[in-house]
Amino acid sequence: MSTDTDTDTDIEERYVVRAVRAGEWPALRELRLAALRDPVAHLAFLETYEQAVARPEAYWRERAERGAEGASGVRQTIAQGPDGQWVGTVTVVLEEAGTTDWAGFTVERRQGHVVGVFMRPEHRGCGLTELLFDEALGWAWRQGVERVRLIVHEDNGRARALYRRLGFVPSGVRVPLGRDGGDSGESELEYVLERP
């Protein structure tokens, strides 16, 4: 387990931060299911554990291939612990200007959209999440995006604090949550990070 006194060098020596490889769908599936069992999963993800666990192998294979090293348009970055277990993940989806995003809004600029952020609890607070984001954001900048954005539930204070620490700021855009076609009255907030 990591401590607050870990240095970046210590973390880099113990963990591997890299892109997913196409054939690694079993590890991808296991980490996603762990994320969906997190106590704040209902705030962080639009998918439930029950939905994900019922998905067929073909779904997980395609998901790994789509975000793998060398694929275009999506990159899933993972942190792998000393024992080989995947302990964290960040995915960046490229969004082209003029297209419509998942919430029905027009994308105004070429941008990266961060989704699927998760770190196993025993690896939080040691700087590993920052290394994971450095790698994921580096990939997005190399793709020529103008900015990177993410959407975070207004009640997910832990995630909002992390994103602010990483340099993301609220854009003022609110995305109403209407799960199952209704209006729940809840909102998610867009946070953005401009190209350095």
Side-chain angles (χ1 to χ4, degrees):
M1 185 152 123
S2 304
T3 66
D4 290 335
T5 59
D6 289 334
T7 65
D8 286 350
T9 303
D10 293 337
I11 295 165
E12 290 171 1
E13 289 175 0
R14 290 185 316 189
Y15 295 92
V16 174
V17 176
R18 62 172 176 81
V20 169
R21 296 180 190 118
E24 296 180 315
W25 67 269
L28 181 146
R29 180 182 187 273
E30 190 279 326
L31 186 61
R32 178 65 174 183
L33 294 178
L36 293 171
R37 288 190 298 267
D38 191 82
V40 297
H42 67 287
L43 297 178
F45 305 109
L46 297 177
E47 178 181 43
T48 67
Y49 175 83
E50 292 75 20
Q51 291 167 328
V53 78
R55 296 191 187 278
E57 180 181 312
Y59 170 85
W60 298 105
R61 285 182 180 277
E62 193 274 330
R63 187 172 177 147
E65 289 171 11
R66 189 176 62 235
E69 187 172 39
S72 62
V74 180
R75 168 65 62 91
Q76 183 169 1
T77 304
I78 58 102
Q80 189 172 6
D83 61 357
Q85 182 187 43
W86 289 11
V87 300
T89 185
V90 173
T91 299
V92 179
V93 178
L94 297 182
E95 296 178 322
E96 298 297 337
T99 61
T100 302
D101 71 9
W102 66 273
F105 293 103
T106 300
V107 175
E108 296 177 6
R109 305 162 66 181
R110 186 166 202 262
Q111 62 191 11
H113 186 158
V114 172
V115 297
V117 177
F118 176 69
M119 182 67 63
R120 292 183 194 270
E122 62 272 22
H123 298 275
R124 294 175 186 160
C126 69
L128 182 57
T129 303
E130 287 81 352
L131 290 177
L132 193 59
F133 264 84
D134 284 349
E135 181 68 25
L137 294 174
W139 176 82
W141 302 135
R142 289 189 302 274
Q143 306 314 301
V145 300
E146 297 178 38
R147 72 175 190 171
V148 175
R149 72 171 181 151
L150 53 85
I151 309 294
V152 59
H153 194 283
E154 62 188 350
D155 294 336
N156 194 344
R158 182 182 78 202
R160 289 173 58 200
L162 167 68
Y163 301 142
R164 282 184 181 270
R165 200 168 64 247
L166 293 171
F168 287 84
V169 295
S171 70
V173 173
R174 296 180 75 86
V175 179
L177 278 179
R179 299 186 195 267
D180 301 324
D183 181 6
S184 67
E186 298 175 276
S187 293
E188 292 194 321
L189 310 172
E190 180 186 65
Y191 277 51
V192 298
L193 179 66
E194 296 294 332
R195 186 179 184 90

